[in-house]
Amino acid sequence: MELSVGEASSAGRRIFTGFIRDLTEQQRAEFKLQELQSELIHVARVSAMGTMASTLAHELNQPLTAIANYVFAAKDLLERDGPQPLDMLSEAVGEAAKEALRAGQIVRRLRDFVARGEVEQRVEDLPKMIDEAARLALMGANERGIRTKFEIDPTIHRVIADRVQIQQVIVNLLRNAVEAIGTREVREIVVRAARDAQGMVRVSVADTGCGIDPAVREQLFEAFASTKEQGMGLGLSICRTIVEAHGGRIWAEPASGGGTIFQFTISSVDEADINE
Ligand code: ADP
C-alpha cells in the first residue's frame, strides 16, 4: 500500500488523499465496531449481574449450609462427655473444609464472569469446556431426578473460543433446560456436540421441558423477553451476543416428544480441518 501511495503522490497527490482517508475511516469504523462489540458483551455481562447474583446466592447456600451442619456436628461431638471420637471429628472438619473450597470455586467463577477483558479467543478443548460448564449448571439437578446424557463426537476437541464466555452460553442453556423441565414427568437433558456440513461444530442442549411459550417465541433472543416471574430475559440475548462475536449462530427448535432443543455453532480447529 505504501508503494502505491508513493507513486500516487508523484502522479497527483490530491486524487489519492481521499483514497487514504477512506481507508483510515474504514479502519476506524471497523475498530469502533469491535470496540462496541466488546463493550456490548461487557454491558450484557454487567446487566446479567442481577440474575447472576441471585443464582450465586442460591448456589452458595448449599455449601454454606453444609459447612454450618458439619461445624455444629463437630461442636456437639466436642461437648460430649467421655472420650472424643477423633475419627468422626476429623471427618466433620474435613468435609467442612471441602465445602468451603467449593464455595470459593463458585465465587471465583463469578469473578471470571464479570472480569472485563477483551474477547480472548484461543484454542480450547470443547469436551472439557462442556464438562466444566455442566458441572456448574447442573449442581443439584441429579437430586431433582434429571438425567443428563452427553453425546460428544469423539473426534471433536479443539475449538476457537473465549472459554469463559462460551461456558457462560452452555451454563445459560442448561439452566434454562432445568427450569423448563420444572416438575414435568420425563426429566432428561441431552448435550450433543457434532460437526455440521459447513465444518463448524454444533453444540446442542435438548430438554424434555415445557417447550417455548408462543408469547416469547419471536423475541426469544432479545433482551428482557421472559416468561418467568423472577426472569430478566437476558440469558439468551447474552448467549446470542457471545455466539455471534465468535462467528457462530444460535437458534431454538421444538424437540421431538415435547421440549426444546437449543443449538449454537462454533469454529473448530481439529487436525482434520487443518490438513484438508
Ligand atoms: P430468563 O431465563 O431470565 O427468562 P432467557 O433469555 O434465558 O431469560 O430466556 C427467555 C425466555 O425464553 C424464558 O423466560 C423462557 O420463556 C424461554 N426459554 C428459554 N429457554 C427455554 C427452554 N429450554 N424451554 C422453554 N422455554 C425456554
Side-chain angles (χ1 to χ4, degrees):
M1 190 181 80
E2 265 171 31
L3 184 67
S4 68
V5 170
E7 280 172 356
S9 38
S10 60
R13 184 177 280 264
R14 286 182 64 203
I15 302 170
F16 287 92
T17 333
F19 169 68
I20 293 164
R21 203 190 52 219
D22 275 358
L23 248 191
T24 43
E25 260 170 23
Q26 191 190 335
Q27 278 167 347
R28 207 178 303 139
E30 269 168 22
F31 183 66
K32 262 234 116 72
L33 197 71
Q34 276 170 12
E35 228 178 12
L36 193 76
Q37 216 162 38
S38 70
E39 196 64 22
L40 195 68
I41 288 171
H42 180 60
V43 170
R45 281 178 175 186
V46 173
S47 4
M49 277 297 289
T51 324
M52 282 303 286
S54 60
T55 315
L56 183 76
H58 177 75
E59 268 168 17
L60 278 180
N61 215 24
Q62 249 185 333
L64 290 179
T65 309
I67 292 169
N69 287 341
Y70 286 123
V71 172
F72 276 127
K75 185 168 175 282
D76 283 349
L77 290 172
L78 283 169
E79 284 169 359
R80 252 197 220 170
D81 290 333
Q84 298 292 348
L86 284 181
D87 48 342
M88 282 169 84
L89 268 171
S90 155
E91 191 189 334
V93 173
E95 288 300 320
K98 259 195 240 161
E99 292 297 326
L101 290 178
R102 212 176 107 198
Q105 267 172 4
I106 294 171
V107 172
R108 216 163 306 124
R109 275 175 194 280
L110 183 84
R111 218 175 30 208
D112 275 359
F113 173 73
V114 270
R116 174 69 199 260
E118 301 310 310
V119 182
E120 239 185 80
Q121 299 195 359
R122 304 170 187 216
V123 175
E124 296 283 357
D125 186 85
L126 183 68
K128 191 163 163 241
M129 279 163 61
I130 293 178
D131 180 59
E132 284 176 4
R135 275 171 205 270
L136 175 67
L138 297 172
M139 259 182 216
N142 247 349
E143 289 87 277
R144 274 183 275 164
I146 298 180
R147 220 159 57 97
T148 317
K149 271 206 290 190
F150 293 88
E151 295 175 5
I152 315 286
D153 175 339
T155 68
I156 295 174
H157 292 291
R158 299 182 302 164
V159 293
I160 307 213
D162 179 313
R163 183 178 53 81
V164 175
Q165 290 188 358
I166 292 297
Q167 285 187 319
Q168 193 54 48
V169 172
I170 301 168
V171 167
N172 283 346
L173 296 183
L174 285 169
R175 278 196 205 292
N176 278 343
V178 169
E179 284 175 9
I181 288 174
T183 57
R184 292 177 75 85
E185 212 171 301
V186 184
R187 312 171 69 70
E188 191 176 272
I189 296 175
V190 185
V191 182
R192 289 192 185 90
R195 291 179 199 283
D196 72 4
Q198 284 76 42
M200 304 273 283
V201 168
R202 184 187 289 191
V203 180
S204 66
V205 174
D207 64 57
T208 53
C210 53
I212 306 280
D213 188 321
V216 286
R217 193 172 291 147
E218 299 299 317
Q219 311 91 39
L220 204 53
F221 294 95
E222 282 165 29
F224 310 116
S226 179
T227 53
K228 299 172 192 166
E229 209 169 297
Q230 306 283 332
M232 291 181 69
L234 286 170
L236 289 177
S237 83
I238 293 173
C239 290
R240 183 169 70 175
T241 308
I242 292 174
V243 168
E244 289 179 356
H246 279 75
R249 65 187 195 95
I250 182 166
W251 69 101
E253 288 164 12
S256 57
T260 314
I261 171 161
F262 276 85
Q263 319 204 43
F264 71 89
T265 55
I266 186 162
S267 302
S268 122
V269 275
D270 282 337
E271 259 92 342
D273 303 328
I274 296 165
N275 295 336
E276 264 168 20

